[in-house]
Amino acid sequence: MRYIRPLSMEDAVGQLAGSPGTAAILAGGSDLLVRMKGGFIEPDLIVDIKAIDGLGEIRETSEGFSIGAAVSCALMGESAALKREWPGVVEAAKLIGSKQVQGRCTIVGNLCNASPAADSVPALVASGARALIIGPGGRRTVAVEAVPTGPGKTSLAKGEIIEAILLDRRAPRSGDAYLRFIPRTEMDIAVVSAGVNLTLDEQGVVKSARVALGAVAPTVLLVEEAAEALIGRKLDEAALERLAKVCSGACRPIDDKRGTVEFRRKVAGVLASRAATTAYARAGGK
């Protein structure tokens, strides 16, 4: 096994692209090192990206935010500007692991680990976040939901690295929220989760929406019909009931020791409704 710590993205991409065996990227390591210790993977090459300039920074511009691939979730929680504009995204990131893990884990790692139950991913999908990818062919930008393709699998090609997560500047009268159900009070994996992002007009009517569900399918679901159930209406009881019904129907869960299919479908609707209520209030709805 080789370990390298490149100082540039170009070097990191070149090393990954030229590796004849399996390669892994080390940012926080909260997933990678656990999987290595458990014997699930044994990479031939580990590329530590923490020393690359800019990857450990949250950058705010007139267009929005760029969250570097090596930015820890703890650092996200310390960004007043990010919490003010995207509270749901920060809430989701702050639910990953313990306080100790928070100092290491990253939302890019959470995305690339490609777990259906990843906490940050439904919130990122609901926010319309994009992944900035660099590889042998140059840079490209894709929607976050296009990165995971199944449990433990991504759409990244050989040599590609996600350089940053991009969040647009929030529109006026907008709000987002993320909720999950876990068996314990903390430090557990989501049995079901939901992220909602809303923008209202001046009368409090929803004019755009995104609803995402986690842990109810092989990948996070962006439920367009759920968004349509909210658009053009205030968030009244009828709209919430329709939202819950659509979300429950969109689920493709499995039975396991942590929850049944029936339970997950029911809870998905409940969480989506509650997250929408919080997002609506944050957007200034009454």
Side-chain angles (χ1 to χ4, degrees), residues 189-202:
I189 300 170
V191 178
V192 184
S193 60
V196 178
N197 182 33
L198 303 175
T199 298
L200 315 180
D201 66 14
E202 294 181 356

Side-chain angles (χ1 to χ4, degrees), residues 128-147:
R130 291 157 291 129
L132 176 60
I133 301 169
I134 182 170
R139 283 180 168 81
R140 63 188 180 100
T141 304
V142 302
V144 160
E145 57 267 30
V147 175

